[in-house]
C-alpha cells in the first residue's frame, strides 16, 4: 500500500464525523416536531426520516459488520430506515415515510446518539487493519449525510410551501445577490480529461469523490462558449412574458406534455401578486403561480419565506424541461457535462457551486471503465444510471466543502423541487482574423 492509498487519519475523520452529525441537527432547529414528521409528496422525505436514515447508514454498513458485540437500539429500525439497499433487506415504502408517526422525534434523536457513541467506540478501538478497511466507508457516510442535509432543506421547503402561511425556514433576510453581466467565455475544445480516479488516492487527486465521478478519461470537445453567470429570474421573466409556457415550439415533446398535464406557468415557488394558488400543493410538487406573468409582479418562496422576486437572483426550482425550453428560446443550449467540467476552470466563471445546481444536456450514464464500490455501497450510484439527467455545480443549500468540479448530481427531467437552475452554452462562433 502506498502512502497515497492510506486512509484518512482517525483523529481527522473523527472530528469530521462530529461536525457533520452536529450540522444535521442544527439544520432542523427551526422545524417543529410536527414539521419533521410530515411528508409533502412521494419524492420528499420527512426531516425525521432523514435523521434516522443517515444514522441507519452508519449502523448498517459499519457497526453491524465491524463492531464486535454491537446491539442495535431497535431491530425494527433496520426495516424502517433503509432507503433502497436491496442487499440489506426489505424496507418501508418510500411514499409512506410520512406515516411513520413512531418512533417519535425524541426516539430518533436517541437513535442518533446510540449510533454516534458506538461509531466513536469503533474508531477508538479497531485495529489498524480494520481501520484501513472501514475508513473509506465512514468517509462515504459523511458525504452521504451531507447529501441528506441538502435534501432535508429542499424537502422541508417543499413542505412549508404547501402551508397557507408560507413560513420561512430561515428567519432572516437573504444575502443580496450582486448584479453582474453575463459574458460568453470561449473554450477551444480539443481532447480534455474529465472525472476522477476514485478507487485510489494519489498525489494529483486528493480528497473524496463518489464512485460515479470516475474513472478519469478523455473526451473530445468541439469549440464552445459558455455563460459566465447563471440565468437570472429577470431573464426567465422575459421568457414567461414572451409566452414561454404557452408556445410549444420551445419545448421537448415530453416537456410540453408535462407542462400541459401539470399546468406549469412559472417556476415552482413563483407566485403572482394576488394569486394564492401558487403553493406547491399538488401531490407531485408541480404547482406554480397561475398568473400569466405579463404585467404581473412576482414573489418567490424560498428558505427566507415569500419575498419579492429579485431580478438579479439566479432562477431556481426549474425542471430540465424548463431549462431546455428557456435555452431554446434564448437561441442557445445547455452545456454537456464534459463542457461544464472543462469550462469550470476558465477565468471569469462565476456562481459555479454556491447558488443553483445547473442542468446539463447529458444523460446520467457510467463513464468508460466505471465500476461501483464493493459490498453494500455498490448500490449507492450505479443502479440509478438510467432515465436521469446530470446536474453540475452546487447550490446555496449544499454544505460547504461538499462539492468539486467532478461532482455528478442527477435527477429525472421533471424534478423541480431542488435548487436547480441553468447556465447557457452555445457552439463557438468562428474567430475573426485581423487583417494583416
Amino acid at each position: 500500500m502506498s502512502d497515497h492509498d492510506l486512509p484518512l487519519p482517525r483523529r481527522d475523520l473523527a472530528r469530521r464525523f462530529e461536525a457533520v452529525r452536529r450540522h444535521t441537527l442544527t439544520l432542523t432547529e427551526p422545524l417543529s416536531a410536527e414539521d419533521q414528521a410530515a411528508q409533502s409528496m412521494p419524492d420528499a422525505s420527512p426531516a425525521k426520516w432523514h435523521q434516522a436514515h443517515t444514522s441507519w447508514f452508519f449502523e448498517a454498513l459499519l457497526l453491524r459488520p465491524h463492531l464486535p458485540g454491537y446491539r442495535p437500539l431497535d431491530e425494527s429500525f433496520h426495516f424502517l430506515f433503509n432507503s433502497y439497499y436491496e442487499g440489506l433487506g426489505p424496507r418501508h415504502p418510500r411514499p409512506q415515510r410520512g406515516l411513520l408517526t413512531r418512533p417519535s422525534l425524541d426516539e430518533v434523536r436517541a437513535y442518533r446518539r446510540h449510533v454516534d457513541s458506538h461509531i466513536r467506540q469503533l474508531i477508538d478501538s479497531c485495529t489498524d487493519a480494520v481501520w484501513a478497511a472501514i475508513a473509506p466507508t465512514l468517509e462515504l457516510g459523511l458525504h452521504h449525510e451531507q447529501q441528506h442535509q441538502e435534501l432535508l432543506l429542499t424537502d422541508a421547503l417543499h413542505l412549508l410551501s404547501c402551508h397557507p402561511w408560507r413560513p420561512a425556514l430561515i428567519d432572516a433576510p437573504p444575502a443580496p445577490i450582486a448584479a453582474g453581466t453575463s459574458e460568453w467565455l470561449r473554450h477551444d475544445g480539443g481532447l480534455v480529461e474529465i472525472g476522477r480516479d476514485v478507487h485510489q488516492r494519489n498525489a494529483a487527486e486528493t480528497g473524496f469523490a463518489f464512485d460515479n465521478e470516475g474513472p478519469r478519461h478523455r473526451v473530445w470537445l468541439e469549440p464552445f462558449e459558455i455563460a459566465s453567470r447563471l440565468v437570472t429570474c429577470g431573464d426567465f421573466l422575459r421568457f414567461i412574458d414572451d409566452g414561454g409556457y404557452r408556445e410549444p415550439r420551445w419545448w421537448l415533446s415530453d416537456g410540453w406534455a408535462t407542462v400541459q398535464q401539470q399546468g406549469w406557468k412559472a417556476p415552482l415557488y413563483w407566485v403572482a401578486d394576488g394569486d394564492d394558488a401558487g403553493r406547491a400543493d399538488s401531490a407531485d410538487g408541480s404547482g406554480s403561480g397561475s398568473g400569466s406573468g405579463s404585467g404581473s409582479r412576482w414573489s418567490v418562496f424560498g428558505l427566507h419565506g415569500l419575498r419579492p422576486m429579485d431580478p438579479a437572483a439566479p432562477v431556481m426550482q426549474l425542471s430540465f424541461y424548463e431549462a431546455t425550453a428557456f435555452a431554446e428560446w434564448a437561441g442557445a443550449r445547455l452545456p454537456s457535462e464534459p463542457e461544464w467540467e472543462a469550462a469550470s476552470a476558465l477565468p471569469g466563471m462565476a456562481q459555479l457551486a454556491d447558488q443553483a445546481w445547473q442542468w446539463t444536456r447529458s444523460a446520467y450514464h457510467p463513464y468508460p471503465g466505471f465500476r461501483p464500490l464493493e459490498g453494500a455501497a455498490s448500490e449507492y450510484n450505479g443502479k440509478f444510471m438510467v432515465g436521469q439527467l446530470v446536474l453540475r455545480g452546487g447550490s446555496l443549500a449544499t454544505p460547504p466543502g461538499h462539492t468539486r468540479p467532478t461532482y455528478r448530481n442527477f435527477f429525472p427531467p421533471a424534478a423541480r423541487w431542488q435548487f436547480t437552475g441553468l447556465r447557457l452554452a452555445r457552439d463557438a462562433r468562428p474567430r475573426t482574423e485581423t487583417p494583416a
Side-chain angles (χ1 to χ4, degrees):
M1 179 181 292
S2 71
D3 290 343
H4 300 306
D5 294 326
L6 293 174
L8 290 177
R10 297 193 197 204
R11 185 175 301 176
D12 292 348
L13 207 47
R15 281 198 295 261
R16 284 207 56 225
F17 178 81
E18 299 294 340
V20 169
R21 297 287 281 173
R22 184 168 56 248
H23 185 59
T24 298
L25 298 182
T26 299
L27 293 176
T28 66
E29 287 177 358
L31 299 170
S32 68
E34 292 79 7
D35 290 333
Q36 297 189 54
Q39 181 178 19
S40 55
M41 64 169 176
D43 285 340
S45 297
K48 184 177 73 172
W49 187 90
H50 284 297
Q51 295 169 76
H53 167 69
T54 50
S55 302
W56 172 94
F57 186 95
F58 290 113
E59 181 179 67
L61 276 70
L62 286 172
L63 296 179
R64 286 177 180 265
H66 296 293
L67 185 61
Y70 174 72
R71 297 183 63 181
L73 183 66
D74 189 318
E75 280 289 354
S76 70
F77 290 0
H78 191 67
F79 168 80
L80 293 179
F81 302 124
N82 185 356
S83 55
Y84 52 74
Y85 292 85
E86 301 283 355
L88 294 177
R91 61 203 180 279
H92 184 76
R94 177 176 179 172
Q96 298 177 22
R97 290 171 183 170
L99 301 180
L100 295 177
T101 57
R102 302 179 186 187
S104 68
L105 179 59
D106 286 343
E107 290 170 315
V108 166
R109 295 287 176 82
Y111 177 44
R112 287 182 67 87
R113 292 191 295 270
H114 176 83
V115 168
D116 289 354
S117 67
H118 286 86
I119 288 290
R120 295 186 197 105
Q121 179 184 341
L122 177 61
I123 294 173
D124 292 341
S125 65
C126 71
T127 65
D128 289 344
V130 171
W131 176 249
I134 69 171
T137 303
L138 178 58
E139 190 175 17
L140 173 65
L142 296 178
H143 286 269
H144 166 261
E145 181 141 356
Q146 287 183 307
Q147 289 181 314
H148 278 272
Q149 288 168 354
E150 181 160 3
L151 287 170
L152 190 155
L153 288 177
T154 56
D155 293 354
L157 182 64
H158 186 272
L159 173 70
L160 297 178
S161 76
C162 300
H163 196 288
W165 294 349
R166 293 195 182 93
L169 189 62
I170 300 175
D171 190 18
I177 301 294
T181 302
S182 188
E183 300 177 352
W184 288 109
L185 305 177
R186 182 184 175 95
H187 191 289
D188 289 331
L191 194 62
V192 301
E193 288 192 340
I194 66 167
R196 289 278 299 274
D197 289 323
V198 299
H199 288 279
Q200 64 178 7
R201 296 183 183 277
N202 59 57
E205 296 178 338
T206 58
F208 175 84
F210 289 109
D211 59 1
N212 66 353
E213 297 175 51
R216 190 165 179 82
H217 61 288
R218 293 175 294 178
V219 297
W220 178 266
L221 298 178
E222 296 297 326
F224 67 94
E225 295 174 339
I226 192 166
S228 62
R229 299 177 68 86
L230 303 184
V231 170
T232 67
C233 290
D235 298 330
F236 205 85
L237 180 59
R238 288 189 285 275
F239 169 71
I240 296 175
D241 287 347
D242 197 36
Y245 283 88
R246 302 191 302 272
E247 177 52 68
R249 64 182 172 135
W250 310 123
W251 296 82
L252 297 170
S253 177
D254 284 352
W256 182 246
T258 303
V259 168
Q260 300 304 296
Q261 180 184 12
Q262 303 296 340
W264 291 353
K265 294 183 174 68
L268 186 67
Y269 305 151
W270 280 38
V271 182
D273 280 6
D275 174 18
D276 200 48
R279 297 187 310 277
D281 51 8
S282 61
D284 61 358
S286 61
S288 63
S290 63
S292 68
S294 181
S296 298
R297 293 183 65 249
W298 291 89
S299 296
V300 179
F301 180 72
L303 296 174
H304 302 270
L306 188 65
R307 293 180 175 271
M309 185 197 72
D310 179 358
V315 63
M316 302 184 192
Q317 278 79 41
L318 289 183
S319 67
F320 170 81
Y321 296 138
E322 290 162 296
T324 55
F326 177 89
E328 184 72 17
W329 171 84
R333 58 176 174 81
L334 300 183
S336 67
E337 66 166 326
E339 287 176 333
W340 191 100
E341 186 171 326
S344 66
L346 289 175
M349 283 286 279
Q351 300 175 319
L352 277 172
D354 61 347
Q355 292 296 318
W357 290 97
Q358 296 141 58
W359 288 105
T360 74
R361 200 58 175 84
S362 295
Y364 179 49
H365 289 159
Y367 284 161
F370 167 79
R371 58 187 175 92
L373 298 171
E374 296 179 354
S378 65
E379 297 190 57
Y380 199 97
N381 280 309
K383 71 181 190 180
F384 299 109
M385 291 176 171
V386 62
Q388 318 255 10
L389 280 299
V390 173
L391 299 106
R392 289 302 195 101
S395 83
L396 52 82
T398 307
H402 180 60
T403 64
R404 57 208 154 266
T406 59
Y407 198 114
R408 304 177 77 198
N409 200 353
F410 54 93
F411 279 98
R416 61 180 197 153
W417 87 106
Q418 299 294 314
F419 290 97
T420 48
L422 76 151
R423 183 187 301 270
L424 295 176
R426 66 187 186 187
D427 298 343
R429 279 22 179 188
R431 291 188 183 276
T432 56
E433 297 184 3
T434 302

